[in-house]
Amino acid sequence: MPTYDLVVIGGGSAGFNAARTAAELGLRVAVVDDGRPLGGLCILRGCMPSKTLLYAAEVLHRARQGARFGLRIPRADADMRALQARKRRIIGEFAAHRSRELRTGKFRLYRSRARFADPHTLLLADGRRLVARRVLIATGSRVSQPPVPGLDRIEAWTSDDVLDLDFVPRSVLVLGGGIVACELAQFLRRIGSRVVLVQRSPQILGDHSPEAAAVVQQALVDDGIEVFTGTRIEGIARGAAGGVSIRFRHAGRRVVRRAEHCFNALGREAATTGLGLDAAGVRCRPRGQIDANRWQQTSVPHIYAAGDCAGPVEIVHVAIEQGVLAARHAAGMRRLRPIDSSLLLRVVFTDPAVAAVGRTERELAARGARYLAASHSFADHGKSILMEAGRGYVKVMADARTGCLLGAEIAGPDAGELIHCLSGPLALRSTVFDLLRAPWYHPTLAEIVTYPLEEIARRIDRKS
Ligand SMILES: Cc1cc2nc3c(=O)[nH]c(=O)nc-3n(C[C@H](O)[C@H](O)[C@H](O)COP(=O)(O)OP(=O)(O)OC[C@H]3O[C@@H](n4cnc5c(N)ncnc54)[C@H](O)[C@@H]3O)c2cc1C
């Protein structure tokens, strides 16, 4: 039986980066992946296809707003077939590149499905067995089916279906108010669908502040999306004349909405079914994700878990960091540092976008931290005014005594790019004073960051 120092199950963002790292560190490594094609969620059905389509929808939206810029653009429509052809070409190239990297890496690739026979033996679907000194589980996630009455009896779309649409649906009911729900609801609306978004909790984008969520919610409403938050869904059913209908309680009354299609964007869960975790003795958390410590070791120390299957967040840069950390730990590298949760970076690619890095104000308040917060509105900023992009704000949080950055939040144009003005300095433990020594070019969107930095600096100077 082939024996390896490390067998990685799953060749997505976490698994591929772990395998590459471990092989470079001299381990004998194998990757097992049965995905067809190879590539992982980010490339095939996640970040890259969604951002390709969202960007196209944003261009379409700008074209339709031509009159605001003094432009005459008589007509702008989505050509869904062309949109899909472009997406397929772009994604195809990324996937081909990843596939090449997996096939030509310094590790052996097995194109099969793996499960544990025991803590050191993996059984492949094609009958082969691999012996592993250590194992990394990086099997990703899949769409979950929450217990919404009737949801299991209709054929709801998943994000995979929405990303593959080659026609403009007349109307879509979007269930959920998380990142994928908001991003794709806006995409659907902008290509021409009537969209109703129904969210159970009182706020969309629950991982972000109510202030940031409100900016996005207003933009969705202004785009023409009907948004309901704080609902209690009573039932979903197939309509007599086709389509679906949903019944829910909202603000003390019963609401009924009908649409041609339903998009289930209620969330994802760890893809661990059939992995034989029991045979390996690996424990999961109550929500199904694999329990891992700060080195990504599971309850069985020679078995690691990284990426969506381990959580606690489903974000590519975290999946990569976790995979690399697990590989280094498995290789016995010394002086490793666990992943620093105080640097977590999160982006929502709606228009306007939302991005946050580091501690949120909610976290800082809960920890009793002594911090100062200052914000500045895009409505009062030169570059965003000339871009007709005055919605939203930039907010910076810093230590009240030293001015050391603690976190930042941006809701507004290009927030996903702008947040990187602050994520690097945050990682380097910079202060607002350090950042104000840097040159900030005028007129740029980025220079808006200097206003909250200056305000915090002034408040600290006044006290000292
Ligand atoms: C619509 C959408 C948009 C997103 N947008 C963003 C974004 O903009 N930014 C961001 O950071 N994140 C985004 N994400 C999340 C991001 O895609 C994931 O966090 C990331 O891809 C997870 O990587 P992974 O390595 O954990 O899993 P995956 O990439 O899913 O890899 C898992 C691999 O394991 C293989 N596998 C599973 N089980 C087995 C088995 N038993 N045997 C063998 N192989 C197996 C699968 O074939 C797959 O290749 C998005 C997700 C979705 C759904």
Side-chain angles (χ1 to χ4, degrees):
M1 266 193 286
T3 302
Y4 293 94
D5 296 321
L6 179 69
V7 173
V8 179
I9 312 176
S13 303
F16 166 68
N17 285 286
R20 180 164 65 175
T21 306
E24 274 164 13
L25 290 170
L27 299 193
R28 197 171 130 77
V29 180
V31 176
V32 189
D33 196 310
D34 68 335
R36 298 202 186 271
L38 276 173
L41 181 64
C42 168
I43 293 176
L44 300 172
R45 288 176 291 274
C47 328
M48 302 314 279
S50 62
K51 270 76 245 184
T52 305
L53 297 182
L54 285 172
Y55 190 74
E58 197 172 326
V59 173
L60 176 62
H61 182 70
R62 296 277 166 270
R64 285 178 177 156
Q65 287 188 318
R68 289 180 71 178
F69 297 88
L71 304 173
R72 263 195 301 271
I73 303 177
R75 199 191 151 111
D77 287 312
D79 174 344
M80 293 302 284
R81 283 169 189 244
L83 211 70
Q84 282 299 337
R86 175 172 182 269
K87 185 206 78 179
R88 276 196 301 273
R89 177 176 51 73
I90 292 173
I91 299 318
E93 283 167 17
F94 294 145
H97 179 69
R98 173 55 53 84
S99 178
R100 255 192 319 276
E101 287 181 304
L102 276 163
R103 288 173 202 280
T104 59
K106 290 188 195 150
F107 44 78
R108 169 86 193 262
L109 173 68
Y110 290 88
R111 298 285 283 123
S112 189
R113 195 157 189 80
R115 70 177 165 86
F116 285 94
D118 64 53
H120 282 283
T121 312
L122 291 161
L123 188 59
L124 306 196
D126 57 21
R128 286 180 287 187
R129 279 171 184 265
L130 308 179
V131 176
R133 278 185 49 233
R134 295 172 197 280
V135 179
L136 170 67
I137 307 170
T139 49
S141 59
R142 57 159 191 232
V143 171
S144 61
Q145 282 285 342
V148 173
L151 183 58
D152 55 345
R153 288 194 295 278
I154 61 165
E155 278 174 24
W157 281 343
T158 67
S159 52
D160 295 0
D161 300 306
V162 176
L163 294 176
D164 279 347
L165 282 177
D166 62 0
F167 67 99
V168 177
R170 252 207 307 247
S171 54
V172 183
L173 162 68
V174 178
L175 297 180
I179 300 175
V180 172
C182 290
E183 289 180 351
L184 293 184
Q186 192 171 45
F187 165 72
L188 288 165
R189 177 65 199 142
R190 287 185 168 184
I191 59 170
S193 302
R194 184 173 63 77
V195 177
V196 181
L197 183 146
V198 179
Q199 155 79 342
R200 284 179 294 192
S201 43
Q203 178 197 313
I204 59 166
L205 301 175
D207 291 340
H208 290 270
S209 72
E211 219 178 336
V215 172
V216 174
Q217 182 161 337
Q218 191 55 54
L220 296 183
V221 169
D222 291 350
D223 271 7
I225 298 176
E226 204 178 359
V227 179
F228 292 95
T229 54
T231 64
R232 189 163 55 76
I233 300 176
E234 292 180 335
I236 300 181
R238 245 185 255 128
V244 289
S245 79
I246 182 168
R247 226 170 354 104
F248 55 92
R249 308 284 311 178
H250 177 255
R253 63 194 174 98
R254 171 170 289 160
V255 183
V256 177
R257 285 292 179 273
R258 290 184 182 78
E260 230 174 34
H261 305 278
C262 175
F263 166 28
N264 167 13
L266 290 165
R268 301 178 68 88
E269 61 191 17
T272 53
T273 325
L275 253 184
L277 292 183
D278 288 346
V282 171
R283 269 199 308 267
C284 290
R285 293 193 214 107
R287 279 188 56 222
Q289 286 171 324
I290 298 170
D291 204 3
N293 69 10
R294 61 196 188 129
W295 308 119
Q296 303 304 133
Q297 288 169 292
T298 67
S299 49
V300 182
H302 75 272
I303 302 178
Y304 296 77
D308 283 8
C309 66
V313 291
E314 292 157 7
I315 298 178
V316 166
H317 78 270
V318 176
I320 295 172
E321 269 186 89
Q322 291 178 340
V324 170
L325 178 63
R328 289 179 174 160
H329 194 267
M333 247 178 99
R334 284 162 195 261
R335 289 196 293 277
L336 289 177
R337 282 202 202 154
I339 292 168
D340 186 348
S341 65
S342 72
L343 296 179
L344 186 65
L345 184 56
R346 288 162 294 139
V347 178
V348 186
F349 291 92
T350 44
D351 170 30
V354 174
V357 67
R359 300 282 179 213
T360 62
E361 267 209 280
R362 205 165 22 192
E363 280 172 333
L364 291 171
R367 286 163 174 257
R370 288 190 54 234
Y371 70 96
L372 292 172
S375 59
H376 193 87
S377 165
F378 280 103
D380 298 329
H381 181 56
K383 184 65 187 275
S384 42
I385 291 172
L386 68 87
M387 289 170 66
E388 296 281 339
R391 282 178 200 272
Y393 60 90
V394 173
K395 183 184 260 189
V396 175
M397 281 82 71
D399 183 279
R401 199 175 49 82
T402 61
C404 189
L405 289 181
L406 297 173
E409 178 178 78
I410 304 178
D414 286 340
E417 306 293 333
L418 293 180
I419 198 72
H420 293 86
C421 296
L422 294 155
S423 60
L426 186 78
L428 296 171
R429 310 275 176 244
S430 305
T431 66
V432 294
F433 304 101
D434 296 330
L435 268 163
L436 288 169
R437 282 208 301 273
W440 295 85
Y441 209 82
H442 174 78
T444 60
L445 279 179
E447 65 178 337
I448 190 174
V449 170
T450 58
Y451 299 112
L453 293 175
E454 280 166 357
E455 187 185 325
I456 293 175
R458 264 196 309 273
R459 281 155 68 185
I460 294 175
D461 280 343
R462 244 182 271 137
K463 274 195 281 176
S464 56

